[in-house]
Amino acid sequence: MKASVIVFPGSNCDRDAAVALEAATGQAPAMVWHGDSEIPASDLIVLPGGFSYGDYLRSGAMAAHSPVMREVVARARTGTPVLGICNGFQILTEAGLLPGVLMRNATLKFVCRDVLLRVERNDTAYTSRYARGEVIRFPIAHKDGSYFADDATLDRLEGEGRVAFRYCNATGEVTQAANPNGSRHNIAGIYNETGTVLGLMPHPERLADPALGGTDGANMFLSLAETLH
Amino acid sequence: MNIAAHAARAAEGITPEIVAEHGLSANEYKLLVAALGREPSLTELGIFSVMWSEHCSYKSSKIWLKKLPTEGPQVIQGPGENAGVVDLGDGQAAVFKMESHNHPSYIEPYQGAATGVGGIMRDVFTMGARPIANMNALRFGAPDHPKTRHLVAGVVSGIGDYGNCMGVPTVGGETNFDPRYNDNILVNAMCVGLADAGRIFKAAAKGIGHPVVYVGSKTGRDGIHGATMASAEFDDASEEKRPTVQVGDPFTEKLLLEACLELMAEDAIVAIQDMGAAGLTSSSVEMADKGGVGIELELDRVPTREEGMTAYEMMLSESQERMLMILKPGSEKAAERVFRKWDLDFSIIGYTTDTGRLVVRHRGIVEADIPLASLAHAAPVYERPWTKTEPQATVAAEEVPAPNSQLGALERLVGSPHLSSRRWIWKQYDHMVMADTVQRPGGDAAVVRVHGTGKGLAISCDVTPRYCAADPFEGAKQAVAECWRNLTAVGADPLAITDCMNFGNPERPEIMGEFAGAVEGMAAACTALSFPVVSGNVSLYNETNGIAIPPTPAIGGIGLIPDIATMATLALKRPGDVLMLLGAEAGHLGQSLYMQVMLNRSWGAPPPVDLEAERRAGDLVRALIRSGSLSAVHDVSDGGLLAAIAEMALAGGHGVVLDAAPGPMPAHAIWFGEDQARYVVAARPDKADAIHKAAAGAKVPLRLLGTIGGDAIRLDGEPPLPLAVVRAAHEDWLPRFMAHG
Amino acid sequence: MKARITITLKPGVLDPQGKAIAGALHALGFGAVGNVRQGKYIEVEVAESDPSRARAEIERMCEQLLANTIIENYAYELEAA
Amino acid sequence: MKARITITLKPGVLDPQGKAIAGALHALGFGAVGNVRQGKYIEVEVAESDPSRARAEIERMCEQLLANTIIENYAYELEAA
Ligand SMILES: Nc1ncnc2c1ncn2[C@@H]1O[C@H](COP(=O)(O)OP(=O)(O)O)[C@@H](O)[C@H]1O
Ligand SMILES: [Mg+2]
């Protein structure tokens, strides 16, 4: 699998994503500078976490207008899988590739810790290695991670099975206590209509190495490697 | 007084009043005139005032700092550069330093703390290192002081927002609450970076006619007089002065970091220096002075963000996120390309010269023309009078009232402001970015993996101010020893330290005595533990209306774990494992947390540190960790033995069954005494014999404490204390306090 | 010209910041405080002297970047700078 | 009554957000954009019908909480709610 990681000014999980991708695929991804309008032929495009443009104005808003994003949108529209992690998710919503917005956490504070997620589907390129309903552990690290969409949009997302992951407790129950940021419906990640674009706030690349305390995240990259080779 | 008023007065000549406002004594002004050979211009006065300020010149501390050991086979660069450098083997080096941003953080906690973090990171990447971990050592006033909550909230979010945006994990620190910090909080930030040992960048300008290049953000009227402010005692009026606060821009700093590292990969830079306190002045003076060259600046070329800035303002501005470099001639274009790519200002603002002078031109006028030697070396150095802090009597355990219940006391201790969990703080710091944090906050030391290797860097920040207040010498020794112990407890070889010496007004002999005592204590411990000082910072005048902070020599240490597979953590892992104490028990309760929390006062001498015993115990523990003999390790510090055990139980989620305290010492002295050089370790029962033997061989006392198991802390003769209760006490205090108090 | 733009959350969109401010004001003893909403305020200078053209520019900026029109409304005033 | 409060950085105080927004607007092709400053906008409802008392309340709120008067200025308008 050939992946490209887009680097915006202020991206800071680009290397982390690259390390996890290389570990899963055996191949280093291409690192693509935001100013470039060309992206090499890729089986997967990753928008990494960080603080693109300082997250000033609104998280992800300025990066969504970066020259490279026109090309990302075009590729996504023709079916190339695009994975947005944390700031990448925020950019995807701002760019209109995913519905809704990521608002300030209900606590108003940055939060960095592990959370539990329920895998809602395992029939996408991202999740084939997980079981449906499986509870996995990923870290989160964000201040603007509260997923918001209006009722109609939420109904559509739920109806079309486009919720990828939900914050849950150890037994997989979706509870208020398990919601770290006030996201509606405990949404941690969503897909586009075709399941090819995934945006999620938690960081799979941060628990993809036993030395870091877990490997639940590695399975996402391994799923991609197996499905997209 | 505003700048325009200054300028107007200058036209009438420099009055004694103006001199005083610049923080220079009448005698210092005389020295200045002698060094310059004439009366200064206002701009020159400003330049002298910042260079001769306590902050830049170390005039009160210099003679004492010379006593600190700074050498060792691991040291690549000791004090004197932007940060210290130690060897990590394999051609790699760690670059690290700690710095204070106390006064700015009290005035504007968010921006003060944020710019403190930004400043220390610049010190590290200036040397060619990529920052890989941040730490923060915080001292706040009493929890019930009306300002404390606001200050905690602002400082923590300022530190978090800056480090988080930079993508550098903030992996640990320490936090104290004490009424003596009510009006003088301390915000000490530490940064550790990773560099190629053979590619360390320094500040010494070399060569004549080389371009002096300004990069980064534009210059505004930020923090003018910041450096002099940081060196002047607070009074009630200074809260009203509200100096121009520096605002941090972590996004620009992130760009600056990437641009600098990108240019450093090429062969373009002769010397580089960040613009920190005293901005353009100190960066240009230091580079020129270190390299023995002169420097000419053309201020019309300085990128400014405000109209009509004067030479005085430009030379003294403390706008953040700026760097000064001396480039190799011919590399200007390549350098400019890099900085433009990252959307940063780039301007050639001068040249090195062979005159040995700092010449500053603005709008065709020579605003300053000063022999560099007078700025850097003619600054006064004071041997201030000092009086030794009276040592206090050692308190016998019998003199300290016992609690009704040991476990009840434990519950109160771990739920007190002093020992409660700092999770509320570190949760707001991204401590995992860079995906190398192999030991997260909450343990004895944080550990970050050296990227791409199996090596780990352990980092810890330590000092116990109440010990230092009672006995600066023993307290400073203890701070170094505890740092060394915390690094050892995760299995690291301690390498070296940085420090942040926070004290009151050095013009008072008793404060100077605290400083002297602390330096000597540090020196003794650093020498005995082969743990040299490679960088540091002195922050004096931390006092308000004559009330000084307790002496606070914060120690930031790093250590190397050759193979992170052998790293130890404090979490109890296996029911059935045995728990042991390594180190001698003397039941020392003087200045203990037990006294402070249970009796609400502190007295007596702090626990003495036997450095020989410290070394023996540490070397033993490290060897046991490396040989895979231990399943958990934690040092004993604040709160004593029982607190250490409780922290291990909480971290692992396993209870313990403890044997009764051995006589004849009172039980509370055993459980809460803060004797030094001790570790609690856990091991499989079948390893106990070998551990006994190793301890005997190393002459380290060992006592069996009990067994791991259950979900409570059990102590003979007392009802068990459920872990859930301990956890609630430990975790609740800080979030509850921050929510409403 | 100079535009003074205010960006506010649409009615119905939860505003945790506004709620927190209201709570803090109550805690400070401002008992008469009711609903609080927080938004953004942005001043933009535009080198455009024709008001209607300036207006068009500002609106495009708001639509494209300054506001997220899924959750935010914007309003502005123009002023000769 | 309802107060519409705008909080702006004092002149001379660095405004990283404004700077970044200006950069982004330029990149989007809004060449005529000059200086940009970002501030906050807060709407506060107060159960107080006397305008001068409402004014005094709002000012105290701004001084005590809403504005960081070390680096920010505030201004407001009152409106019968
Ligand atoms: N301000 C802070 N920021 C981050 N971590 C902190 C802070 N204060 C304390 N901690 C963390 O809390 C834990 C306990 O701190 P402390 O009691 O000082 O440890 P020790 O006694 O081992 O030195 C440590 O892991 C430390 O890194
Ligand atoms: Mg410890």
Side-chain angles (χ1 to χ4, degrees):
Chain A
M1 178 184 82
K2 282 193 59 191
S4 290
V5 177
I6 313 291
V7 184
F8 299 97
S11 291
N12 61 34
C13 304
D14 42 328
R15 188 186 78 181
D16 307 358
V19 167
L21 282 163
E22 184 169 354
T25 64
Q27 200 178 345
M31 307 304 280
V32 180
W33 179 239
H34 79 113
D36 301 344
S37 45
E38 295 278 303
I39 301 174
S42 312
D43 304 309
L44 171 73
I45 295 172
V46 177
L47 306 184
F51 287 74
S52 55
Y53 297 90
D55 271 358
Y56 297 151
L57 186 64
R58 283 186 316 281
S59 298
M62 298 191 211
H65 290 100
S66 240
V68 78
M69 280 307 292
R70 265 188 292 268
E71 182 61 17
V72 172
V73 171
R75 298 277 182 99
R77 298 252 143 91
T78 57
T80 301
V82 177
L83 169 62
I85 302 169
C86 196
N87 196 226
F89 185 13
Q90 294 159 342
I91 295 169
L92 288 174
T93 60
E94 285 281 347
L97 278 174
L98 292 173
V101 293
L102 281 311
M103 300 187 59
R104 180 62 35 101
N105 294 346
T107 58
L108 305 182
K109 291 194 169 58
F110 189 93
V111 56
C112 176
R113 65 176 173 92
D114 289 354
V115 295
L116 297 176
L117 302 175
R118 191 173 77 192
V119 180
E120 299 290 304
R121 296 169 57 166
N122 68 346
D123 60 344
T124 71
Y126 301 92
T127 52
S128 57
R129 281 221 165 198
Y130 301 111
R132 227 185 120 203
E134 185 180 342
V135 176
I136 59 175
R137 184 164 59 96
F138 282 11
I140 53 170
H142 60 249
K143 200 175 205 170
D144 296 324
S146 176
Y147 184 75
F148 175 87
D150 59 27
D151 292 343
T153 307
L154 281 177
D155 286 348
R156 200 173 73 236
L157 287 173
E158 295 287 2
E160 294 171 1
R162 286 168 55 191
V163 176
F165 303 99
R166 271 184 237 271
Y167 303 108
C168 69
N169 65 16
T171 54
E173 288 163 296
V174 173
T175 62
Q176 204 44 52
N179 188 338
N181 53 27
S183 290
R184 295 198 76 185
H185 294 203
N186 280 38
I187 287 174
I190 55 169
Y191 294 109
N192 67 345
E193 293 85 341
T194 53
T196 51
V197 175
L198 169 63
L200 80 168
M201 288 313 295
H203 288 271
E205 79 282 15
R206 291 189 184 186
L207 272 185
D209 175 350
L212 298 175
T215 53
D216 282 356
N219 279 330
M220 180 177 288
F221 300 103
L222 290 168
S223 298
L224 286 162
E226 282 166 11
T227 325
L228 303 176
H229 52 266
Chain B
M1 151 159 119
N2 66 32
I3 302 306
H6 267 302
R9 286 226 207 145
E12 303 157 12
I14 307 269
T15 64
E17 236 188 318
I18 294 179
V19 171
E21 271 160 14
H22 281 77
L24 294 172
S25 69
N27 195 49
E28 286 171 341
Y29 185 69
K30 259 189 230 142
L31 286 174
L32 182 168
V33 173
L36 194 58
R38 58 175 165 79
E39 297 272 327
S41 71
L42 183 65
T43 303
E44 288 170 333
L45 179 67
I47 290 171
F48 271 101
S49 80
V50 292
M51 289 310 298
W52 285 14
S53 71
E54 192 65 62
H55 188 91
C56 290
S57 74
Y58 288 82
K59 58 190 168 192
S60 303
S61 57
K62 217 176 206 164
I63 58 158
W64 287 100
L65 295 178
K66 288 204 184 98
K67 296 178 185 267
L68 295 172
T70 59
E71 281 165 16
Q74 72 276 39
V75 177
I76 295 177
Q77 175 67 59
E81 282 290 336
N82 283 300
V85 185
V86 295
D87 195 351
L88 299 179
D90 310 312
Q92 294 178 302
V95 177
F96 68 107
K97 184 168 192 267
M98 176 153 45
E99 201 158 70
S100 64
H101 228 210
N102 303 336
H103 290 175
S105 301
Y106 179 75
I107 290 169
E108 214 307 285
Y110 179 91
Q111 295 295 347
T115 51
V117 172
I120 194 64
M121 279 197 273
R122 279 195 301 286
D123 273 331
V124 165
F125 70 78
T126 299
M127 298 200 69
R130 177 173 287 281
I132 57 170
N134 286 333
M135 300 282 284
N136 61 116
L138 312 176
R139 326 282 159 190
F140 297 106
D144 59 6
H145 187 272
K147 277 203 172 137
T148 298
R149 192 172 302 112
H150 162 74
L151 291 167
V152 173
V155 164
V156 169
S157 63
I159 290 172
D161 283 358
Y162 208 103
N164 297 349
C165 185
M166 286 292 287
V168 177
T170 304
V171 293
E174 59 172 349
T175 312
N176 293 143
F177 295 92
D178 184 311
R180 288 168 292 185
Y181 299 109
N182 278 353
D183 297 314
N184 293 87
I185 64 168
L186 303 184
V187 174
N188 297 168
M190 173 174 170
C191 178
V192 184
L194 181 68
D196 284 350
R199 287 192 68 80
I200 302 292
F201 287 80
K202 299 197 181 168
K206 283 188 216 83
I208 308 304
H210 289 190
V212 177
V213 171
Y214 170 117
V215 297
S217 275
K218 292 186 182 358
T219 297
R221 294 187 174 97
D222 311 300
I224 292 174
H225 276 183
T228 31
M229 178 182 86
S231 306
E233 193 180 321
F234 262 12
D235 54 36
D236 287 333
S238 58
E239 242 183 290
E240 295 313 310
K241 273 185 215 150
R242 295 191 169 166
T244 327
V245 171
Q246 307 152 36
V247 169
D249 180 359
F251 172 56
T252 296
E253 176 122 322
K254 167 74 174 162
L255 303 182
L256 190 59
L257 161 68
E258 298 300 338
C260 286
L261 293 183
E262 192 171 318
L263 184 62
M264 283 165 168
E266 289 167 35
D267 191 28
I269 298 173
V270 175
I272 177 162
Q273 169 80 35
D274 68 298
M275 292 193 226
L280 194 49
T281 293
S282 75
S283 56
S284 56
V285 169
E286 272 168 38
M287 283 209 288
D289 175 64
K290 281 191 178 134
V293 300
I295 206 162
E296 271 198 50
L297 299 178
E298 199 64 65
L299 295 187
D300 302 85
R301 294 165 175 265
V302 170
T304 55
R305 67 161 209 271
E306 291 182 66
E307 304 274 303
M309 287 189 69
T310 64
Y312 179 96
E313 292 171 323
M314 279 190 250
M315 291 306 289
L316 268 57
S317 163
E318 295 195 345
S319 290
Q320 301 290 296
E321 292 94 21
R322 304 179 300 162
M323 291 269 191
L324 205 61
M325 306 183 296
I326 311 288
L327 291 182
K328 295 196 171 143
S331 46
E332 297 91 330
K333 281 274 165 308
E336 179 163 8
R337 214 175 304 123
V338 170
F339 285 90
R340 296 276 181 235
K341 168 188 162 190
W342 290 97
D343 262 328
L344 294 162
D345 273 292
F346 174 100
S347 179
I348 299 170
I349 62 166
Y351 289 91
T352 54
T353 66
D354 61 2
T355 61
R357 301 180 78 83
L358 169 70
V359 178
V360 176
R361 287 206 180 76
H362 189 219
R363 301 188 188 122
I365 293 169
V366 174
E367 290 278 356
D369 183 353
I370 308 174
L372 280 154
S374 69
L375 289 171
H377 307 294
V381 172
Y382 294 124
E383 204 173 333
R384 299 209 186 267
W386 59 282
T387 51
K388 189 165 182 275
T389 310
E390 262 327 300
Q392 301 189 34
T394 299
V395 179
E398 291 74 14
E399 296 168 43
V400 181
N404 296 332
S405 131
Q406 310 291 341
L407 293 178
L410 171 67
E411 191 185 334
R412 272 189 57 193
L413 277 174
V414 298
S416 74
H418 314 288
L419 212 54
S420 63
S421 166
R422 284 14 183 166
R423 187 186 306 275
W424 183 91
I425 296 175
W426 78 64
K427 234 171 60 177
Q428 297 182 58
Y429 300 153
D430 189 339
H431 48 264
M432 299 184 229
V433 64
M434 297 187 95
D436 280 315
T437 305
V438 294
Q439 186 155 168
R440 300 181 189 180
D444 284 318
V447 182
V448 292
R449 181 171 50 189
V450 176
H451 190 69
T453 75
K455 297 187 288 188
L457 260 187
I459 315 169
S460 181
C461 281
D462 296 278
V463 64
T464 307
R466 61 178 193 282
Y467 295 171
C468 297
D471 185 338
F473 177 79
E474 282 299 328
K477 250 170 79 185
Q478 193 278 341
V480 173
E482 186 179 343
C483 185
W484 190 85
R485 206 184 304 144
N486 276 325
L487 299 173
T488 296
V490 299
D493 292 309
L495 286 175
I497 64 168
T498 181
D499 65 63
C500 208
M501 308 281 281
N502 309 275
F503 290 80
N505 180 349
E507 294 160 42
R508 293 205 286 137
E510 61 275 25
I511 301 286
M512 210 50 224
E514 293 176 350
F515 188 82
V519 168
E520 295 195 318
M522 280 171 65
C526 290
T527 304
L529 299 172
S530 314
F531 201 27
V533 181
V534 296
S535 59
N537 171 243
V538 177
S539 171
L540 300 175
Y541 297 95
N542 292 288
E543 62 180 74
T544 298
N545 297 332
I547 300 173
I549 59 161
T552 312
I555 305 298
I558 68 164
L560 182 65
I561 304 179
D563 176 2
I564 52 170
T566 65
M567 177 181 82
T569 70
L570 56 70
L572 297 182
K573 293 166 193 77
R574 251 190 327 253
D577 277 9
V578 292
L579 208 58
M580 290 168 273
L581 173 67
L582 294 169
E585 294 175 275
H588 189 106
L589 283 170
Q591 300 295 340
S592 65
L593 212 52
Y594 173 86
M595 264 186 177
Q596 169 146 10
V597 173
M598 300 302 289
L599 311 170
N600 203 19
R601 66 197 186 93
S602 301
W603 74 95
V609 185
D610 175 345
L611 294 165
E612 286 299 310
E614 194 72 67
R615 180 137 204 168
R616 281 196 308 274
D619 291 348
L620 168 69
V621 165
R622 205 175 308 108
L624 290 172
I625 293 172
R626 297 271 166 89
S627 66
S629 309
L630 306 178
S631 58
V633 182
H634 189 21
D635 75 307
V636 180
S637 57
D638 269 344
L641 182 55
L642 203 49
I645 294 169
E647 287 165 353
M648 297 173 82
L650 288 176
H654 292 291
V656 290
V657 182
L658 297 172
D659 302 338
M665 236 183 277
H668 68 299
I670 291 284
W671 293 125
F672 301 110
E674 296 183 0
D675 311 312
Q676 301 293 299
R678 296 190 301 164
Y679 300 80
V680 178
V681 300
R684 294 167 77 108
D686 60 356
K687 303 225 161 136
D689 261 356
I691 294 170
H692 266 283
K693 281 207 193 81
K699 298 198 176 58
V700 175
L702 181 155
R703 179 163 73 84
L704 206 58
L705 295 169
T707 313
I708 297 167
D711 52 9
I713 298 177
R714 286 169 194 275
L715 190 55
D716 236 15
E718 296 202 12
L721 180 62
L723 272 194
V725 173
V726 192
R727 191 181 304 283
H730 188 238
E731 292 292 344
D732 280 1
W733 183 79
L734 189 51
R736 197 160 23 87
F737 168 67
M738 290 309 296
H740 31 253
Chain C
M1 311 204 73
K2 190 192 223 169
R4 302 173 184 286
I5 306 166
T6 50
I7 295 164
T8 50
L9 285 172
K10 290 187 173 167
V13 176
L14 207 66
D15 175 13
Q17 275 151 310
K19 223 171 81 185
I21 294 172
L25 288 172
H26 287 148
L28 280 174
F30 293 100
V33 166
N35 204 16
V36 176
R37 303 281 286 174
Q38 172 165 340
K40 290 189 189 104
Y41 172 75
I42 303 177
E43 287 178 0
V44 179
E45 282 170 14
V46 217
E48 173 59 72
S49 50
D50 176 62
S52 77
R53 274 212 297 271
R55 236 173 228 121
E57 282 287 277
I58 294 293
E59 279 167 34
R60 278 180 46 227
M61 289 179 207
C62 287
E63 292 284 339
Q64 278 186 42
L65 181 72
L66 301 181
N68 181 337
T69 51
I70 300 176
I71 48 164
E72 293 170 332
N73 291 327
Y74 61 88
Y76 63 93
E77 287 163 18
L78 262 189
E79 170 191 301
Chain D
M1 313 204 73
K2 190 192 224 168
R4 303 173 184 286
I5 305 167
T6 50
I7 295 164
T8 49
L9 284 170
K10 289 187 176 170
V13 174
L14 176 70
D15 177 9
Q17 308 237 27
K19 198 174 100 185
I21 295 171
L25 288 172
H26 288 150
L28 279 174
F30 293 101
V33 166
N35 205 16
V36 176
R37 303 279 287 174
Q38 172 164 344
K40 286 190 198 109
Y41 172 75
I42 303 177
E43 288 178 1
V44 180
E45 282 170 11
V46 218
E48 172 60 72
S49 48
D50 175 64
S52 77
R53 275 211 297 270
R55 230 169 235 126
E57 282 287 277
I58 295 292
E59 279 166 34
R60 278 182 45 226
M61 290 178 206
C62 287
E63 292 284 340
Q64 281 184 39
L65 182 77
L66 303 181
N68 177 352
T69 51
I70 296 172
I71 50 174
E72 291 171 334
N73 290 327
Y74 61 89
Y76 63 94
E77 286 163 19
L78 261 189
E79 172 188 301

